Amino acid sequence: MRLRRFTLIVIFIIVLTGAVAAQTSDPLPSWNDGATKSAITRFVSRVTRDGSSDFVPAPQRIAVFDNDGTLWCEQPVYFQFAFARDQIRTLAPKHPEWKSKEPFRPLLQNDLKGVLASGEKGLLQLVAASHSGMTTDDFARSVTDWLATARHPRFNRPYDSLVYQPMLELLAYLRANGFKTFVVSGGGIDFMRPWMERVYGIPPEQVVGSSGVTTFARKPDGSTALIKQAKVEFVDDGPGKPAGIHRFIGRRPIFAFGNSDGDLQMLQYTTAGDGPRLALIIHHTDAEREWAYDRKSPIGKLDKALDEGQANGWTIVDMKSDWKAVFPPEP
Amino acid sequence: MRLRRFTLIVIFIIVLTGAVAAQTSDPLPSWNDGATKSAITRFVSRVTRDGSSDFVPAPQRIAVFDNDGTLWCEQPVYFQFAFARDQIRTLAPKHPEWKSKEPFRPLLQNDLKGVLASGEKGLLQLVAASHSGMTTDDFARSVTDWLATARHPRFNRPYDSLVYQPMLELLAYLRANGFKTFVVSGGGIDFMRPWMERVYGIPPEQVVGSSGVTTFARKPDGSTALIKQAKVEFVDDGPGKPAGIHRFIGRRPIFAFGNSDGDLQMLQYTTAGDGPRLALIIHHTDAEREWAYDRKSPIGKLDKALDEGQANGWTIVDMKSDWKAVFPPEP
């Protein structure tokens, strides 16, 4: 009988310790306590509490995240543009005509201003030239190789290590609470998928992005390939984001997170649905640890969405004060 | 002590009964025993046995299914076409010009031959006219309403009850073994999503299909909508299926199931990957319980894919001999 009582006490202690540990372990340790963090945790409690009027069944707990400037950095240029630049340089010897053709000329001369002067159209041309004429498998390999070797100019770290630690914690926290997490980005879908499962835990089928046309090819030996064409299929930015969400996901999200005017319509679409909704915007306010930019930035411009977010009571994340850490420790 | 021994015996009996039940319960009761059924169960055992050289990690267990003629009937016309026809009739009073315009004229006169004479282009016109100019929410509602009221001409049952019972069992069996099941259909994505979660257990984000352009709209009151445009965005058929799989799923499937030449490239793409792969084709051989058709059918033509399937050792399902039941019991 002594033994049984002792056993019971041991079990009791184990259970109690577990409960205390569960209660005290913070799922968002890189977020400072305050209004922002509690807006997130309160929302998650509301929608996951069975029996409450705000309960949302798990299949409808769709959370969407912009990528550039929301999950990883986007300065001094979109990382995909840095990739495109490096690819164009690699391909240049095969294209002598680029030396005198905009926007290739300024790019090959390291003239960033000249490249930006070509506007969005010029950037799209560079992306098209560096993202087509190969198989999707070869392209995925070139992305993986580039991430393994290229270094960010300011931090001298691999680009895919410049992801936001608080956001990695948030993704995991939402998934632990039955959410399905999606990326909805203006970036190229084939550029994002090769690394997002490893880095964010988001599988390829939950990555929505811009895309070019691919065509199916089959060789006499039976092997098959998809060839990337220099023709835009879908631009997943601005009003394209709700369209992309509808096309790929087919449900209106209940949780959306962005950082720029390109996310405005996604945030509008998410919050216009019935029931509990949470919209968040990262305000880049930390020039020391990352960057400070908003209304006048050519990259990641946050102007209309900031006004609308403030007017509508969306949660504005102040990077400087809300985040205890910005990046994960260097590997 | 007597009590404890008795309890142990009871537990033992419960465990034993459970084990026997698990061993004898057949996950595919509507499939007759034979080569087809064992090709499926052998494949699933191979890829799920941890430690074996054929083991495939769960995230890569992607299974894709055509819809028309593979998961539900497609005779005497594609069900989506029956929906489009009924929609056009409903909308006709608002479009007097249709009375003298092909392919609307034959459709409104119940002249199926005349409609089919307009070819794929004519069918696409009918689909465009009946599938655009409304919000995605309104369209989803019209699909749901139609399914609740329309009846199939031969079976006098709701269209969404004319799904194949053996395939429902197969979907559940694959999911129970860690597969992620997707529909990859030439049908319209907005036509399929409103009911596939309920009928197949496949959520909207796992439905790949053809689509039209949608545009985002926001009213001054803050409400938002996506408006369906009469412009084709993507045709998910034939060589479009591997492209659609790449675009939406981003991984090559290991398991693909179709029934017509429109599935040929999907089957080629699936089987051309490394490691274990399974490709299956339903051969409609059962005129009594369903239909018998293949090489010369205007709908669901199975010709090249049948030859190639036989030559490559793909599994050809003979509906008449392989299926114990075709449809679920009437509700």
mmCIF file of all heavy atoms in Angstrom, chain A residues 136 180 189-190 193 197 204-206 211-212 218 224 233 246-249 251-252 268 308, chain B residues 136 180 189-190 193 197 204-205 211-212 218 224 233 246-249 251-252 268 308:
data_model
loop_
_atom_site.group_PDB
_atom_site.id
_atom_site.type_symbol
_atom_site.label_atom_id
_atom_site.label_comp_id
_atom_site.label_asym_id
_atom_site.label_seq_id
_atom_site.Cartn_x
_atom_site.Cartn_y
_atom_site.Cartn_z
ATOM 1 N N THR A 136 11.633 23.467 -64.516
ATOM 2 C CA THR A 136 11.338 23.857 -63.136
ATOM 3 C C THR A 136 12.314 23.184 -62.168
ATOM 4 O O THR A 136 12.683 23.780 -61.155
ATOM 5 C CB THR A 136 9.888 23.476 -62.767
ATOM 6 O OG1 THR A 136 9.685 22.083 -63.035
ATOM 7 C CG2 THR A 136 8.885 24.286 -63.587
ATOM 8 N N LYS A 180 -3.850 26.522 -40.416
ATOM 9 C CA LYS A 180 -3.090 26.123 -41.594
ATOM 10 C C LYS A 180 -2.430 27.400 -42.097
ATOM 11 O O LYS A 180 -3.122 28.385 -42.383
ATOM 12 C CB LYS A 180 -4.052 25.535 -42.637
ATOM 13 C CG LYS A 180 -3.405 24.556 -43.592
ATOM 14 C CD LYS A 180 -4.461 23.695 -44.283
ATOM 15 C CE LYS A 180 -3.829 22.753 -45.290
ATOM 16 N NZ LYS A 180 -4.821 21.866 -45.918
ATOM 17 N N ILE A 189 6.535 32.074 -57.235
ATOM 18 C CA ILE A 189 6.184 30.845 -56.523
ATOM 19 C C ILE A 189 7.327 29.816 -56.643
ATOM 20 O O ILE A 189 7.652 29.120 -55.681
ATOM 21 C CB ILE A 189 4.830 30.315 -57.059
ATOM 22 C CG1 ILE A 189 4.145 29.385 -56.084
ATOM 23 C CG2 ILE A 189 4.966 29.683 -58.433
ATOM 24 C CD1 ILE A 189 2.667 29.170 -56.402
ATOM 25 N N ASP A 190 7.967 29.764 -57.824
ATOM 26 C CA ASP A 190 9.053 28.795 -58.007
ATOM 27 C C ASP A 190 10.333 29.220 -57.287
ATOM 28 O O ASP A 190 11.209 28.389 -57.025
ATOM 29 C CB ASP A 190 9.350 28.611 -59.506
ATOM 30 C CG ASP A 190 8.245 27.842 -60.218
ATOM 31 O OD1 ASP A 190 7.449 27.177 -59.539
ATOM 32 O OD2 ASP A 190 8.180 27.929 -61.463
ATOM 33 N N ARG A 193 9.238 28.186 -53.216
ATOM 34 C CA ARG A 193 8.965 26.829 -52.743
ATOM 35 C C ARG A 193 10.175 25.971 -52.398
ATOM 36 O O ARG A 193 10.076 25.132 -51.496
ATOM 37 C CB ARG A 193 8.095 26.101 -53.773
ATOM 38 C CG ARG A 193 6.651 26.540 -53.667
ATOM 39 C CD ARG A 193 5.857 25.915 -54.764
ATOM 40 N NE ARG A 193 4.419 26.036 -54.553
ATOM 41 C CZ ARG A 193 3.520 25.838 -55.503
ATOM 42 N NH1 ARG A 193 3.918 25.527 -56.728
ATOM 43 N NH2 ARG A 193 2.250 25.959 -55.245
ATOM 44 N N GLU A 197 9.638 25.145 -46.971
ATOM 45 C CA GLU A 197 9.293 24.056 -46.065
ATOM 46 C C GLU A 197 10.393 23.897 -45.003
ATOM 47 O O GLU A 197 10.104 23.768 -43.818
ATOM 48 C CB GLU A 197 9.128 22.752 -46.854
ATOM 49 C CG GLU A 197 8.583 21.627 -45.989
ATOM 50 C CD GLU A 197 8.029 20.484 -46.831
ATOM 51 O OE1 GLU A 197 8.624 20.182 -47.896
ATOM 52 O OE2 GLU A 197 7.001 19.904 -46.440
ATOM 53 N N PRO A 204 5.195 23.185 -50.027
ATOM 54 C CA PRO A 204 4.999 23.853 -51.322
ATOM 55 C C PRO A 204 3.546 24.143 -51.638
ATOM 56 O O PRO A 204 3.230 25.205 -52.182
ATOM 57 C CB PRO A 204 5.575 22.847 -52.326
ATOM 58 C CG PRO A 204 6.507 21.996 -51.562
ATOM 59 C CD PRO A 204 6.023 21.976 -50.156
ATOM 60 N N GLU A 205 2.641 23.210 -51.297
ATOM 61 C CA GLU A 205 1.237 23.389 -51.660
ATOM 62 C C GLU A 205 0.565 24.472 -50.826
ATOM 63 O O GLU A 205 -0.596 24.789 -51.066
ATOM 64 C CB GLU A 205 0.479 22.057 -51.563
ATOM 65 C CG GLU A 205 0.411 21.428 -50.178
ATOM 66 C CD GLU A 205 1.561 20.463 -49.877
ATOM 67 O OE1 GLU A 205 2.647 20.617 -50.469
ATOM 68 O OE2 GLU A 205 1.361 19.572 -49.025
ATOM 69 N N GLN A 206 1.266 25.062 -49.856
ATOM 70 C CA GLN A 206 0.707 26.171 -49.098
ATOM 71 C C GLN A 206 1.450 27.477 -49.385
ATOM 72 O O GLN A 206 1.434 28.400 -48.581
ATOM 73 C CB GLN A 206 0.672 25.832 -47.613
ATOM 74 C CG GLN A 206 -0.446 24.829 -47.312
ATOM 75 C CD GLN A 206 -0.307 24.091 -45.999
ATOM 76 O OE1 GLN A 206 -0.430 22.851 -45.943
ATOM 77 N NE2 GLN A 206 -0.029 24.813 -44.943
ATOM 78 N N SER A 211 3.486 33.849 -60.812
ATOM 79 C CA SER A 211 3.994 32.729 -61.601
ATOM 80 C C SER A 211 4.058 33.068 -63.074
ATOM 81 O O SER A 211 3.358 33.957 -63.557
ATOM 82 C CB SER A 211 3.115 31.489 -61.405
ATOM 83 O OG SER A 211 1.788 31.767 -61.790
ATOM 84 N N GLY A 212 4.923 32.334 -63.776
ATOM 85 C CA GLY A 212 4.964 32.376 -65.223
ATOM 86 C C GLY A 212 4.339 31.102 -65.766
ATOM 87 O O GLY A 212 4.130 30.133 -65.030
ATOM 88 N N ARG A 218 7.814 15.996 -72.932
ATOM 89 C CA ARG A 218 8.133 14.589 -72.674
ATOM 90 C C ARG A 218 9.109 14.107 -73.743
ATOM 91 O O ARG A 218 8.873 14.266 -74.932
ATOM 92 C CB ARG A 218 6.861 13.758 -72.711
ATOM 93 C CG ARG A 218 7.080 12.316 -72.301
ATOM 94 C CD ARG A 218 5.743 11.666 -71.979
ATOM 95 N NE ARG A 218 5.901 10.297 -71.551
ATOM 96 C CZ ARG A 218 5.777 9.238 -72.370
ATOM 97 N NH1 ARG A 218 5.488 9.410 -73.642
ATOM 98 N NH2 ARG A 218 5.947 8.015 -71.906
ATOM 99 N N THR A 224 10.063 13.388 -68.252
ATOM 100 C CA THR A 224 9.194 14.540 -68.446
ATOM 101 C C THR A 224 9.798 15.772 -67.787
ATOM 102 O O THR A 224 10.628 15.656 -66.883
ATOM 103 C CB THR A 224 7.809 14.307 -67.817
ATOM 104 O OG1 THR A 224 7.981 14.206 -66.402
ATOM 105 C CG2 THR A 224 7.152 13.050 -68.357
ATOM 106 N N GLU A 233 1.974 34.588 -65.886
ATOM 107 C CA GLU A 233 0.699 33.877 -65.781
ATOM 108 C C GLU A 233 -0.197 34.575 -64.763
ATOM 109 O O GLU A 233 -1.385 34.772 -64.993
ATOM 110 C CB GLU A 233 0.968 32.443 -65.318
ATOM 111 C CG GLU A 233 -0.246 31.565 -65.224
ATOM 112 C CD GLU A 233 0.140 30.157 -64.764
ATOM 113 O OE1 GLU A 233 0.460 29.962 -63.565
ATOM 114 O OE2 GLU A 233 0.142 29.252 -65.608
ATOM 115 N N HIS A 246 -8.229 33.243 -53.365
ATOM 116 C CA HIS A 246 -9.405 32.511 -53.840
ATOM 117 C C HIS A 246 -8.994 31.363 -54.762
ATOM 118 O O HIS A 246 -9.513 30.253 -54.660
ATOM 119 C CB HIS A 246 -10.365 33.445 -54.564
ATOM 120 C CG HIS A 246 -11.540 32.733 -55.142
ATOM 121 N ND1 HIS A 246 -12.547 32.225 -54.358
ATOM 122 C CD2 HIS A 246 -11.847 32.392 -56.414
ATOM 123 C CE1 HIS A 246 -13.420 31.619 -55.123
ATOM 124 N NE2 HIS A 246 -13.034 31.694 -56.375
ATOM 125 N N ARG A 247 -8.062 31.642 -55.655
ATOM 126 C CA ARG A 247 -7.678 30.630 -56.626
ATOM 127 C C ARG A 247 -7.005 29.443 -55.966
ATOM 128 O O ARG A 247 -7.312 28.291 -56.254
ATOM 129 C CB ARG A 247 -6.742 31.276 -57.685
ATOM 130 C CG ARG A 247 -6.249 30.353 -58.749
ATOM 131 C CD ARG A 247 -7.393 29.725 -59.541
ATOM 132 N NE ARG A 247 -8.229 30.731 -60.146
ATOM 133 C CZ ARG A 247 -9.527 30.876 -59.873
ATOM 134 N NH1 ARG A 247 -10.155 30.097 -58.993
ATOM 135 N NH2 ARG A 247 -10.239 31.816 -60.473
ATOM 136 N N PHE A 248 -6.049 29.700 -55.064
ATOM 137 C CA PHE A 248 -5.224 28.626 -54.509
ATOM 138 C C PHE A 248 -5.819 27.999 -53.252
ATOM 139 O O PHE A 248 -5.669 26.807 -53.028
ATOM 140 C CB PHE A 248 -3.825 29.148 -54.163
ATOM 141 C CG PHE A 248 -2.916 29.281 -55.348
ATOM 142 C CD1 PHE A 248 -3.051 30.331 -56.235
ATOM 143 C CD2 PHE A 248 -1.918 28.347 -55.580
ATOM 144 C CE1 PHE A 248 -2.216 30.462 -57.333
ATOM 145 C CE2 PHE A 248 -1.075 28.460 -56.672
ATOM 146 C CZ PHE A 248 -1.233 29.517 -57.553
ATOM 147 N N ILE A 249 -6.437 28.826 -52.424
ATOM 148 C CA ILE A 249 -6.898 28.334 -51.121
ATOM 149 C C ILE A 249 -8.406 28.078 -51.155
ATOM 150 O O ILE A 249 -8.887 27.090 -50.624
ATOM 151 C CB ILE A 249 -6.534 29.324 -49.992
ATOM 152 C CG1 ILE A 249 -5.029 29.671 -50.046
ATOM 153 C CG2 ILE A 249 -6.914 28.742 -48.638
ATOM 154 C CD1 ILE A 249 -4.571 30.705 -49.042
ATOM 155 N N ARG A 251 -10.754 29.643 -49.652
ATOM 156 C CA ARG A 251 -11.484 30.077 -48.450
ATOM 157 C C ARG A 251 -10.940 31.443 -48.047
ATOM 158 O O ARG A 251 -9.750 31.708 -48.198
ATOM 159 C CB ARG A 251 -11.176 29.178 -47.245
ATOM 160 C CG ARG A 251 -11.503 27.757 -47.378
ATOM 161 C CD ARG A 251 -11.392 27.142 -45.961
ATOM 162 N NE ARG A 251 -10.949 25.772 -46.023
ATOM 163 C CZ ARG A 251 -11.753 24.738 -45.799
ATOM 164 N NH1 ARG A 251 -13.017 24.925 -45.527
ATOM 165 N NH2 ARG A 251 -11.286 23.510 -45.841
ATOM 166 N N ARG A 252 -11.783 32.245 -47.439
ATOM 167 C CA ARG A 252 -11.331 33.534 -46.941
ATOM 168 C C ARG A 252 -10.561 33.313 -45.640
ATOM 169 O O ARG A 252 -11.065 32.637 -44.741
ATOM 170 C CB ARG A 252 -12.544 34.437 -46.693
ATOM 171 C CG ARG A 252 -12.204 35.904 -46.598
ATOM 172 C CD ARG A 252 -13.395 36.697 -46.105
ATOM 173 N NE ARG A 252 -14.459 36.835 -47.088
ATOM 174 C CZ ARG A 252 -14.806 37.988 -47.673
ATOM 175 N NH1 ARG A 252 -14.149 39.095 -47.386
ATOM 176 N NH2 ARG A 252 -15.799 38.042 -48.539
ATOM 177 N N GLN A 268 -7.864 43.814 -46.365
ATOM 178 C CA GLN A 268 -9.273 44.204 -46.504
ATOM 179 C C GLN A 268 -10.153 42.973 -46.680
ATOM 180 O O GLN A 268 -11.200 42.827 -46.047
ATOM 181 C CB GLN A 268 -9.448 45.121 -47.730
ATOM 182 C CG GLN A 268 -8.847 46.496 -47.570
ATOM 183 C CD GLN A 268 -8.875 47.303 -48.868
ATOM 184 O OE1 GLN A 268 -8.952 46.725 -49.967
ATOM 185 N NE2 GLN A 268 -8.806 48.615 -48.756
ATOM 186 N N GLU A 308 -4.999 53.048 -43.322
ATOM 187 C CA GLU A 308 -6.207 52.241 -43.202
ATOM 188 C C GLU A 308 -6.133 51.314 -41.982
ATOM 189 O O GLU A 308 -7.125 51.102 -41.288
ATOM 190 C CB GLU A 308 -6.430 51.433 -44.482
ATOM 191 C CG GLU A 308 -7.839 50.931 -44.579
ATOM 192 C CD GLU A 308 -8.277 50.631 -46.009
ATOM 193 O OE1 GLU A 308 -7.985 51.430 -46.933
ATOM 194 O OE2 GLU A 308 -8.908 49.587 -46.195
ATOM 195 N N THR B 136 -17.899 35.401 -56.642
ATOM 196 C CA THR B 136 -17.556 34.005 -56.374
ATOM 197 C C THR B 136 -18.500 33.417 -55.318
ATOM 198 O O THR B 136 -18.846 32.238 -55.385
ATOM 199 C CB THR B 136 -16.098 33.869 -55.902
ATOM 200 O OG1 THR B 136 -15.883 34.759 -54.797
ATOM 201 C CG2 THR B 136 -15.125 34.228 -57.016
ATOM 202 N N LYS B 180 -1.834 12.773 -48.899
ATOM 203 C CA LYS B 180 -2.621 13.993 -49.056
ATOM 204 C C LYS B 180 -3.307 13.848 -50.407
ATOM 205 O O LYS B 180 -2.634 13.682 -51.429
ATOM 206 C CB LYS B 180 -1.684 15.207 -49.024
ATOM 207 C CG LYS B 180 -2.336 16.489 -48.580
ATOM 208 C CD LYS B 180 -1.279 17.518 -48.153
ATOM 209 C CE LYS B 180 -1.927 18.821 -47.726
ATOM 210 N NZ LYS B 180 -0.938 19.806 -47.248
ATOM 211 N N ILE B 189 -12.728 25.093 -61.168
ATOM 212 C CA ILE B 189 -12.351 25.028 -59.753
ATOM 213 C C ILE B 189 -13.472 25.583 -58.873
ATOM 214 O O ILE B 189 -13.761 25.040 -57.805
ATOM 215 C CB ILE B 189 -11.000 25.760 -59.570
ATOM 216 C CG1 ILE B 189 -10.284 25.327 -58.313
ATOM 217 C CG2 ILE B 189 -11.154 27.272 -59.651
ATOM 218 C CD1 ILE B 189 -8.827 25.750 -58.284
ATOM 219 N N ASP B 190 -14.149 26.635 -59.345
ATOM 220 C CA ASP B 190 -15.222 27.225 -58.540
ATOM 221 C C ASP B 190 -16.486 26.374 -58.561
ATOM 222 O O ASP B 190 -17.333 26.500 -57.678
ATOM 223 C CB ASP B 190 -15.558 28.640 -59.042
ATOM 224 C CG ASP B 190 -14.460 29.639 -58.706
ATOM 225 O OD1 ASP B 190 -13.640 29.343 -57.815
ATOM 226 O OD2 ASP B 190 -14.411 30.712 -59.342
ATOM 227 N N ARG B 193 -15.267 23.237 -55.823
ATOM 228 C CA ARG B 193 -14.960 23.423 -54.405
ATOM 229 C C ARG B 193 -16.158 23.473 -53.464
ATOM 230 O O ARG B 193 -16.030 23.043 -52.301
ATOM 231 C CB ARG B 193 -14.115 24.680 -54.239
ATOM 232 C CG ARG B 193 -12.679 24.425 -54.622
ATOM 233 C CD ARG B 193 -11.905 25.716 -54.554
ATOM 234 N NE ARG B 193 -10.468 25.480 -54.605
ATOM 235 C CZ ARG B 193 -9.598 26.440 -54.879
ATOM 236 N NH1 ARG B 193 -10.023 27.659 -55.148
ATOM 237 N NH2 ARG B 193 -8.305 26.170 -54.903
ATOM 238 N N GLU B 197 -15.465 19.010 -50.293
ATOM 239 C CA GLU B 197 -15.081 18.711 -48.917
ATOM 240 C C GLU B 197 -16.145 17.812 -48.275
ATOM 241 O O GLU B 197 -15.820 16.821 -47.620
ATOM 242 C CB GLU B 197 -14.911 20.003 -48.117
ATOM 243 C CG GLU B 197 -14.319 19.758 -46.747
ATOM 244 C CD GLU B 197 -13.793 21.041 -46.128
ATOM 245 O OE1 GLU B 197 -14.422 22.106 -46.318
ATOM 246 O OE2 GLU B 197 -12.744 20.985 -45.452
ATOM 247 N N PRO B 204 -11.074 22.720 -50.033
ATOM 248 C CA PRO B 204 -10.928 23.578 -51.223
ATOM 249 C C PRO B 204 -9.479 23.752 -51.663
ATOM 250 O O PRO B 204 -9.196 23.765 -52.862
ATOM 251 C CB PRO B 204 -11.507 24.922 -50.768
ATOM 252 C CG PRO B 204 -12.397 24.617 -49.628
ATOM 253 C CD PRO B 204 -11.886 23.362 -48.995
ATOM 254 N N GLU B 205 -8.565 23.865 -50.695
ATOM 255 C CA GLU B 205 -7.166 24.139 -51.054
ATOM 256 C C GLU B 205 -6.480 22.914 -51.669
ATOM 257 O O GLU B 205 -5.339 23.007 -52.107
ATOM 258 C CB GLU B 205 -6.384 24.668 -49.843
ATOM 259 C CG GLU B 205 -6.266 23.694 -48.667
ATOM 260 C CD GLU B 205 -7.379 23.860 -47.635
ATOM 261 O OE1 GLU B 205 -8.478 24.318 -48.002
ATOM 262 O OE2 GLU B 205 -7.147 23.513 -46.465
ATOM 263 N N SER B 211 -9.826 27.542 -64.446
ATOM 264 C CA SER B 211 -10.335 28.744 -63.791
ATOM 265 C C SER B 211 -10.446 29.898 -64.763
ATOM 266 O O SER B 211 -9.779 29.937 -65.794
ATOM 267 C CB SER B 211 -9.433 29.143 -62.622
ATOM 268 O OG SER B 211 -8.123 29.389 -63.068
ATOM 269 N N GLY B 212 -11.308 30.840 -64.408
ATOM 270 C CA GLY B 212 -11.390 32.121 -65.094
ATOM 271 C C GLY B 212 -10.766 33.188 -64.217
ATOM 272 O O GLY B 212 -10.519 32.971 -63.028
ATOM 273 N N ARG B 218 -14.175 46.362 -53.882
ATOM 274 C CA ARG B 218 -14.473 46.755 -52.505
ATOM 275 C C ARG B 218 -15.461 47.905 -52.531
ATOM 276 O O ARG B 218 -15.259 48.890 -53.233
ATOM 277 C CB ARG B 218 -13.185 47.184 -51.811
ATOM 278 C CG ARG B 218 -13.371 47.486 -50.337
ATOM 279 C CD ARG B 218 -12.022 47.520 -49.647
ATOM 280 N NE ARG B 218 -12.155 47.753 -48.221
ATOM 281 C CZ ARG B 218 -11.982 48.951 -47.664
ATOM 282 N NH1 ARG B 218 -11.685 49.994 -48.414
ATOM 283 N NH2 ARG B 218 -12.102 49.108 -46.359
ATOM 284 N N THR B 224 -16.266 43.324 -49.391
ATOM 285 C CA THR B 224 -15.414 42.990 -50.531
ATOM 286 C C THR B 224 -16.016 41.832 -51.307
ATOM 287 O O THR B 224 -16.815 41.061 -50.774
ATOM 288 C CB THR B 224 -14.003 42.558 -50.075
ATOM 289 O OG1 THR B 224 -14.130 41.335 -49.342
ATOM 290 C CG2 THR B 224 -13.348 43.617 -49.206
ATOM 291 N N GLU B 233 -8.471 31.759 -67.424
ATOM 292 C CA GLU B 233 -7.174 31.992 -66.789
ATOM 293 C C GLU B 233 -6.270 30.787 -66.983
ATOM 294 O O GLU B 233 -5.096 30.916 -67.287
ATOM 295 C CB GLU B 233 -7.405 32.232 -65.293
ATOM 296 C CG GLU B 233 -6.171 32.568 -64.498
ATOM 297 C CD GLU B 233 -6.522 32.811 -63.024
ATOM 298 O OE1 GLU B 233 -6.839 31.834 -62.306
ATOM 299 O OE2 GLU B 233 -6.495 33.959 -62.598
ATOM 300 N N HIS B 246 2.109 21.351 -60.856
ATOM 301 C CA HIS B 246 3.286 22.120 -60.453
ATOM 302 C C HIS B 246 2.875 23.455 -59.839
ATOM 303 O O HIS B 246 3.413 23.867 -58.805
ATOM 304 C CB HIS B 246 4.196 22.368 -61.652
ATOM 305 C CG HIS B 246 5.374 23.228 -61.300
ATOM 306 N ND1 HIS B 246 6.409 22.773 -60.526
ATOM 307 C CD2 HIS B 246 5.646 24.525 -61.573
ATOM 308 C CE1 HIS B 246 7.286 23.751 -60.349
ATOM 309 N NE2 HIS B 246 6.839 24.824 -60.975
ATOM 310 N N ARG B 247 1.903 24.121 -60.461
ATOM 311 C CA ARG B 247 1.509 25.443 -59.985
ATOM 312 C C ARG B 247 0.853 25.381 -58.624
ATOM 313 O O ARG B 247 1.182 26.163 -57.734
ATOM 314 C CB ARG B 247 0.542 26.085 -61.023
ATOM 315 C CG ARG B 247 0.035 27.450 -60.666
ATOM 316 C CD ARG B 247 1.171 28.449 -60.515
ATOM 317 N NE ARG B 247 1.994 28.549 -61.704
ATOM 318 C CZ ARG B 247 3.293 28.246 -61.736
ATOM 319 N NH1 ARG B 247 3.930 27.814 -60.653
ATOM 320 N NH2 ARG B 247 4.006 28.374 -62.840
ATOM 321 N N PHE B 248 -0.053 24.437 -58.416
ATOM 322 C CA PHE B 248 -0.848 24.412 -57.184
ATOM 323 C C PHE B 248 -0.205 23.578 -56.075
ATOM 324 O O PHE B 248 -0.324 23.905 -54.919
ATOM 325 C CB PHE B 248 -2.249 23.852 -57.458
ATOM 326 C CG PHE B 248 -3.190 24.837 -58.086
ATOM 327 C CD1 PHE B 248 -3.094 25.159 -59.420
ATOM 328 C CD2 PHE B 248 -4.163 25.457 -57.324
ATOM 329 C CE1 PHE B 248 -3.962 26.072 -60.006
ATOM 330 C CE2 PHE B 248 -5.033 26.372 -57.892
ATOM 331 C CZ PHE B 248 -4.931 26.684 -59.238
ATOM 332 N N ILE B 249 0.411 22.486 -56.441
ATOM 333 C CA ILE B 249 0.915 21.559 -55.427
ATOM 334 C C ILE B 249 2.426 21.722 -55.261
ATOM 335 O O ILE B 249 2.946 21.708 -54.155
ATOM 336 C CB ILE B 249 0.556 20.099 -55.785
ATOM 337 C CG1 ILE B 249 -0.949 19.979 -56.087
ATOM 338 C CG2 ILE B 249 0.975 19.154 -54.672
ATOM 339 C CD1 ILE B 249 -1.402 18.595 -56.543
ATOM 340 N N ARG B 251 4.780 19.712 -56.023
ATOM 341 C CA ARG B 251 5.515 18.458 -55.885
ATOM 342 C C ARG B 251 4.961 17.485 -56.910
ATOM 343 O O ARG B 251 3.769 17.491 -57.195
ATOM 344 C CB ARG B 251 5.277 17.774 -54.542
ATOM 345 C CG ARG B 251 5.599 18.546 -53.333
ATOM 346 C CD ARG B 251 5.528 17.568 -52.152
ATOM 347 N NE ARG B 251 5.104 18.236 -50.955
ATOM 348 C CZ ARG B 251 5.920 18.526 -49.943
ATOM 349 N NH1 ARG B 251 7.193 18.211 -49.991
ATOM 350 N NH2 ARG B 251 5.463 19.119 -48.862
ATOM 351 N N ARG B 252 5.814 16.593 -57.365
ATOM 352 C CA ARG B 252 5.351 15.561 -58.278
ATOM 353 C C ARG B 252 4.626 14.484 -57.471
ATOM 354 O O ARG B 252 5.168 13.989 -56.476
ATOM 355 C CB ARG B 252 6.555 14.950 -59.007
ATOM 356 C CG ARG B 252 6.189 14.182 -60.251
ATOM 357 C CD ARG B 252 7.388 13.417 -60.790
ATOM 358 N NE ARG B 252 8.420 14.254 -61.378
ATOM 359 C CZ ARG B 252 8.737 14.276 -62.671
ATOM 360 N NH1 ARG B 252 8.096 13.496 -63.514
ATOM 361 N NH2 ARG B 252 9.703 15.042 -63.114
ATOM 362 N N GLN B 268 1.751 10.337 -67.113
ATOM 363 C CA GLN B 268 3.152 10.298 -67.559
ATOM 364 C C GLN B 268 4.048 11.024 -66.563
ATOM 365 O O GLN B 268 5.107 10.538 -66.176
ATOM 366 C CB GLN B 268 3.286 10.974 -68.934
ATOM 367 C CG GLN B 268 2.654 10.208 -70.082
ATOM 368 C CD GLN B 268 2.649 11.001 -71.379
ATOM 369 O OE1 GLN B 268 2.690 12.233 -71.381
ATOM 370 N NE2 GLN B 268 2.572 10.301 -72.508
ATOM 371 N N GLU B 308 -1.161 3.373 -73.911
ATOM 372 C CA GLU B 308 0.058 3.655 -73.161
ATOM 373 C C GLU B 308 0.036 2.995 -71.783
ATOM 374 O O GLU B 308 1.050 2.493 -71.299
ATOM 375 C CB GLU B 308 0.256 5.173 -73.033
ATOM 376 C CG GLU B 308 1.676 5.505 -72.647
ATOM 377 C CD GLU B 308 2.067 6.931 -73.025
ATOM 378 O OE1 GLU B 308 1.715 7.387 -74.143
ATOM 379 O OE2 GLU B 308 2.721 7.578 -72.211
#
